[in-house]
């Protein structure tokens, strides 16, 4: 048996197909992106090597809106971590206590997660529509006519409206992850605490939350990385406008690459996003030293 | 008595809050369903929140017949099914070699694949685009299947490796004694044992492919190969002022995932949590 399991030919046959596809479709292209990011090139012209010039441009806010985009994506990350995840945590704690309709709430909260962002985006475009959208209709129905807005067309409200949908869509996802972590805590621990007279709030603070810290870390990581990579929803809702107010790095990258054919600059943005994601992942792993619990 | 009363009141409050959030999560989707069944006259009439007076099934037949929606559905199904098959086979094989076979670099190989989990799709958009223009893969289903599979591999390998490690050695040994070769052991014994992991990987891959927009919109421009997400983006212009038809298109695009979810919600929920814990 051992002889077969250490047979080089078999090992090669099993690993190589996945390895080949992975390397040719992801690893080599990334390296190629890195190379392109040092060029001044539009796809047709002569490739001119310009070193880190493209990266310097990014930090000098060229193309216009890039620094706003970076700020926006970081703001979205903060909102996700400090609003979306906490709401999800509260929901998870409340419904995991075994109240009636536990499964109903779990399913309903999760449904937006499985629906295509393209569909969600189109739907919310209609919700925010100034004349026939539900939001303005609701506002006038409850007598708040003066709050009616053209939500996505105004630089003052567009960002908040877009971010609301981003946070809305994935609350159920974080809720489910935290819920399943809470469910895996042995009942005896919670019962013991209850016998000792701990209140629900005390149990949540001193038992549930510390025990699910590893899963909270997973959620925070997902929320952060997801925010830095956001594209679909903003592309569908506003394409970064009006006047760059809802821009994120990926929407600018998409435009620079595919409408303006500025391949060097666009690649520099792509590499910037990769490095951002890697750095923040390491950051969270370090800053969030959660030890795993075994029961 | 007083305490019981207080507990009961608290319970009501939490129910009201839970219901309120459930309403916010689900109402927009319900509203989509209602306007997909309305005529323009009704949609742009006085009350956008009212239920449809007369169910306009014609919105649905219109988009299905004139809007190429059936073509998009078929394309999305094809791309998704092939990706699911490819990613399961390739990842299960690689994971088997990493988890069960004996060789020096298996640890590093696993780490290498897992690097893929942290790489955003945006980073390879342009290189792939250039490659596809050059090789003629542009505007074919392969242009989507290959990158979708590649991006599914890291997570799939991790899930499979976790599963393979829990299978006792004796299973393979006794089959080997009976004269089975390694491929037979893999196909007849190992694959059936990791069925739950295959379900997890398939659900993940399904949702990722079915809903992906950026690659699809960049690599596909020909009507006959468009998938649902690209197709819907195209329909938006066509039906800009006809919400009913557009709504019907959105509902049709969403229906398969929601149906799968409602029938398999336990399975789907389990998959999401396994995926997260592993990732």
């Amino acid at each position: 048996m051992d002889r077969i399991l250490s047979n080089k030919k078999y090992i090669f046959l099993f690993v190589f197909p996945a390895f080949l596809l992975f390397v040719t479709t992801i690893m080599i292209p990334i390296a190629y992106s890195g190379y392109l990011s040092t060029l001044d090139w539009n796809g047709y012209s002569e490739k001119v090597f310009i070193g880190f010039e493209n990266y310097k441009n990014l930090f000098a806010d060229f193309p216009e809106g890039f620094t706003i985009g970076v700020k926006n994506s970081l703001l979205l990350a903060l909102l996700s971590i400090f609003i979306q995840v906490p709401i999800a945590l509260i929901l998870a704690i409340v419904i995991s206590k075994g109240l009636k309709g536990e499964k109903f709430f779990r399913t309903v909260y999760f449904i937006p997660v499985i629906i295509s962002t393209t569909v969600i985006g189109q739907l919310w475009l209609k919700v925010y529509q100034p004349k026939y959208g539900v939001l303005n209709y609701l506002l006038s129905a409850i007598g708040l006519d003066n709050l009616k807005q053209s939500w996505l067309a105004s630089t003052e409200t567009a960002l908040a409206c877009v971010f609301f949908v981003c946070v809305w869509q994935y609350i159920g996802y974080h809720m489910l992850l935290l819920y399943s972590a809470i469910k895996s805590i042995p009942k005896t621990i919670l019962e013991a605490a209850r016998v000792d007279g701990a209140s629900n709030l005390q149990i949540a603070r001193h038992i549930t939350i510390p025990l699910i810290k590893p899963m909270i870390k997973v959620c925070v990581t997902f929320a952060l990385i997801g925010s830095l990579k956001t594209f679909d929803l903003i592309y569908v809702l506003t394409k970064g406008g009006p006047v760059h107010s809802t821009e994120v790095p990926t929407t600018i990258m998409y435009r620079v690459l595919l409408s303006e054919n500025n391949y060097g600059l666009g690649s520099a943005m792509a590499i910037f996003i990769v490095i951002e994601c890697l750095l923040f992942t390491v950051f969270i792993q370090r800053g969030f030293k959660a030890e795993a619990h075994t029961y | 008595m007083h305490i019981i009363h207080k507990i009961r009141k608290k319970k009501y409050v939490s129910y009201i809050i839970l219901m309120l959030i459930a309403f916010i999560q689900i109402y927009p989707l319900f509203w989509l369903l209602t306007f997909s069944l309305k005529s323009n006259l009704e949609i742009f009439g006085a009350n956008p929140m009212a239920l449809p007076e007369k169910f306009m099934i014609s919105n649905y037949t219109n988009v299905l017949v004139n809007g190429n929606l059936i073509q998009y559905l078929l394309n999305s199904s094809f791309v998704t099914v092939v990706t699911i098959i490819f990613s399961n086979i390739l990842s299960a094989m690689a994971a088997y070699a990493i988890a069960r076979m004996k060789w020096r670099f298996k640890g590093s190989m696993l780490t290498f694949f897992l690097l893929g989990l942290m790489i955003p799709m945006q980073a390879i958009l342009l290189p792939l685009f250039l490659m596809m223009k050059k090789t003629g893969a542009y505007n074919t289903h392969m242009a989507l299947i290959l990158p979708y599979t590649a991006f599914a591999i890291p997570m799939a390998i991790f899930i499979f490796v976790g599963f393979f490690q829990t299978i006792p050695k004796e299973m393979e040994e006794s089959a080997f004694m009976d004269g089975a070769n390694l491929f037979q052991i893999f196909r007849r014994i190992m694959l059936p044992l990791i069925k739950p992991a295959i379900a997890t990987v398939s659900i993940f891959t399904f949702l990722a492919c079915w809903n992906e927009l950026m690659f699809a919109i960049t690599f596909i421009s020909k009507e006959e190969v468009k998938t649902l997400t690209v197709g819907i983006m195209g329909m938006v212009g066509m039906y800009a002022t006809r919400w009913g038809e557009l709504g019907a298109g959105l509902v049709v695009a969403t229906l398969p995932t929601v149906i799968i979810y409602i029938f398999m919600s336990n399975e789907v929920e389990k998959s999401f949590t396994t995926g997260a814990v592993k990732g």
Side-chain angles (χ1 to χ4, degrees):
Chain A
M1 188 70 217
D2 275 0
R3 222 185 48 228
I4 295 200
L5 285 181
S6 49
N7 182 325
K8 295 254 155 56
K9 200 181 86 195
Y10 280 132
I11 292 169
F12 181 81
L13 281 175
F14 272 78
V15 179
F16 190 69
F19 181 80
L20 181 72
L21 181 69
F22 185 68
V23 168
T24 52
T25 321
I26 298 184
M27 290 309 187
I28 293 177
I30 283 234
Y32 191 60
S33 270
Y35 162 67
L36 291 176
S37 74
T38 61
L39 300 180
D40 179 16
W41 187 45
N42 65 14
Y44 303 100
S45 64
E46 197 83 14
K47 291 177 182 162
V48 182
F49 179 81
I50 54 166
F52 289 106
E53 201 60 37
N54 285 324
Y55 292 92
K56 272 191 212 148
N57 281 336
L58 293 187
F59 290 107
D61 199 27
F62 175 82
E64 199 191 321
F66 190 77
T67 45
I68 301 178
V70 174
K71 269 186 222 146
N72 283 345
S73 67
L74 292 175
L75 179 63
L76 177 61
L78 287 179
L79 283 176
S80 308
I81 294 170
F82 292 106
I83 294 187
Q84 185 184 45
V85 176
I87 293 178
L89 181 62
I90 294 170
L91 290 176
I93 290 174
V94 173
I95 68 168
S96 64
K97 278 195 310 213
L99 79 178
K100 238 191 218 152
E102 184 175 335
K103 176 144 171 90
F104 166 79
F105 288 119
R106 217 170 64 209
T107 311
V108 166
Y109 295 156
F110 195 70
I111 279 183
V113 179
I114 57 159
I115 293 174
S116 153
T117 313
T118 318
V119 172
I120 301 258
Q122 285 304 328
L123 169 58
W124 281 88
L125 271 178
K126 305 284 181 268
V127 173
Y128 287 136
Q129 212 274 352
K131 256 193 171 151
Y132 311 108
V134 162
L135 184 55
N136 274 348
Y137 176 80
L138 261 177
L139 285 175
S140 54
I142 54 173
L144 294 170
D145 272 288
N146 50 336
L147 285 182
K148 282 165 79 172
Q149 294 271 348
S150 43
W151 297 99
L152 292 173
S154 139
T155 48
E156 278 158 38
T157 49
L159 189 67
C161 291
V162 170
F163 282 0
F164 177 81
V165 186
C166 293
V167 172
W168 171 84
Q169 193 184 3
Y170 281 99
I171 279 193
Y173 185 69
H174 296 291
M175 188 275 308
L176 187 67
L177 297 183
L178 296 165
Y179 169 88
S180 70
I182 295 173
K183 281 290 179 182
S184 68
I185 299 174
K187 281 223 170 66
T188 47
I189 296 182
L190 299 175
E191 274 158 17
R194 205 152 281 145
V195 170
D196 289 344
S199 71
N200 281 333
L201 205 65
Q202 283 171 324
I203 292 178
R205 230 187 94 201
H206 298 291
I207 298 176
T208 315
I209 294 177
L211 284 178
I212 59 166
K213 227 169 134 195
M215 190 56 100
I216 296 177
K217 179 170 114 180
V218 169
C219 287
V220 169
T221 315
F222 281 6
L224 178 70
I225 303 300
S227 306
L228 300 180
K229 296 195 291 192
T230 318
F231 172 76
D232 299 15
L233 201 62
I234 293 177
Y235 180 80
V236 177
L237 282 173
T238 61
K239 292 207 161 63
V243 225
H244 300 301
S245 58
T246 59
E247 210 82 78
V248 284
T250 51
T251 50
I252 307 177
M253 183 201 84
Y254 192 80
R255 197 166 53 236
V256 166
L257 280 181
L258 293 146
S259 334
E260 297 167 15
N261 285 337
N262 194 337
Y263 288 179
L265 193 59
S267 299
M269 293 178 190
I271 296 297
F272 174 86
I273 299 166
V274 177
I275 293 174
E276 220 188 352
C277 288
L278 288 176
L279 275 183
F280 277 109
T281 313
V282 175
F283 228 55
I284 291 184
Q285 304 294 334
R286 287 272 162 82
F288 219 118
K289 281 216 178 90
E291 52 301 351
H293 289 272
T294 42
Y295 305 110
Chain B
M1 268 321 270
H2 187 64
I3 292 176
I4 294 174
H5 194 70
K6 227 168 119 188
I7 290 175
R8 209 169 266 161
K9 215 165 120 199
K10 245 166 111 187
K11 218 171 178 180
Y12 276 128
V13 173
S14 60
Y15 260 111
I16 289 169
I17 294 172
L18 286 176
M19 288 305 281
L20 192 71
I21 295 180
F23 178 80
I24 297 171
Q25 294 303 104
I26 219 67
Y27 181 74
L29 294 160
F30 175 74
W31 183 60
L32 168 66
L33 192 67
T34 61
F35 80 67
S36 78
L37 287 164
K38 287 180 181 176
S39 66
N40 252 8
L41 206 66
E42 236 195 304
I43 291 171
F44 304 130
N47 183 355
M49 291 175 82
L51 292 173
E53 270 166 31
K54 201 177 105 219
F55 286 70
M56 292 280 291
I57 305 292
S58 62
N59 288 341
Y60 283 81
T61 48
N62 280 351
V63 284
L64 283 172
V65 178
N66 305 329
N68 280 341
L69 207 58
I70 293 177
Q71 182 75 52
Y72 305 151
L73 271 169
L74 289 174
N75 288 335
S76 270
S77 312
F78 178 75
V79 167
T80 304
V81 168
V82 176
T83 304
I84 289 175
I85 295 171
F86 276 9
S87 54
N88 268 305
I89 295 176
L90 294 182
S91 316
M93 284 172 61
Y96 182 70
I98 289 170
R100 312 289 290 191
M101 292 185 174
K102 299 186 168 61
W103 45 300
R104 231 165 94 203
F105 302 108
K106 56 188 200 177
S108 335
M109 186 59 89
L110 183 61
T111 314
F112 180 67
F113 277 123
L114 294 189
L115 270 181
L117 287 174
M118 293 206 275
I119 291 170
M121 280 175 131
Q122 285 94 352
I124 59 165
L125 183 71
L126 178 67
L128 282 185
F129 180 70
L130 297 175
M131 246 158 73
M132 280 160 190
K133 284 275 188 181
K134 233 181 202 153
T135 55
Y138 183 74
N139 260 333
T140 64
H141 287 141
M142 268 302 152
L144 297 180
I145 293 170
L146 290 179
Y148 289 175
T149 309
F151 270 102
I153 283 177
M155 173 82 86
I157 286 187
F158 209 72
I159 292 172
F160 284 140
V161 165
F163 261 81
F164 277 129
Q165 278 168 346
T166 63
I167 297 171
K169 258 197 179 139
E170 288 74 25
M171 307 289 289
E172 280 152 305
E173 266 160 15
S174 64
F176 179 63
M177 292 303 172
D178 293 341
N181 68 31
L182 199 65
F183 288 103
Q184 288 167 328
I185 292 175
F186 177 72
R187 219 175 62 80
R188 302 249 171 85
I189 301 183
M190 298 313 255
L191 281 189
L193 287 172
I194 57 160
K195 262 189 194 149
I198 293 177
T200 300
V201 168
S202 304
I203 288 168
F204 256 101
T205 314
F206 170 81
L207 288 173
C209 299
W210 193 264
N211 294 333
E212 204 279 333
L213 175 66
M214 191 177 59
F215 280 178
I217 212 167
T218 314
F219 301 155
I220 303 290
S221 59
K222 226 166 52 190
E223 202 57 29
E224 304 90 81
V225 268
K226 279 185 183 171
T227 54
L228 267 175
T229 45
V230 203
I232 294 283
M233 287 305 279
M235 275 177 62
V236 170
M238 221 161 98
Y239 293 109
T241 53
R242 284 147 69 191
W243 288 23
E245 272 102 332
L246 182 61
L250 297 177
V251 171
V252 172
T254 308
L255 230 45
T257 45
V258 173
I259 291 174
I260 289 179
Y261 178 55
I262 286 172
F263 279 107
M264 301 175 56
S265 63
N266 286 332
E267 208 57 44
V268 175
E269 286 167 6
K270 234 189 290 155
S271 300
F272 268 84
T273 45
T274 358
V277 180
K278 305 280 182 187

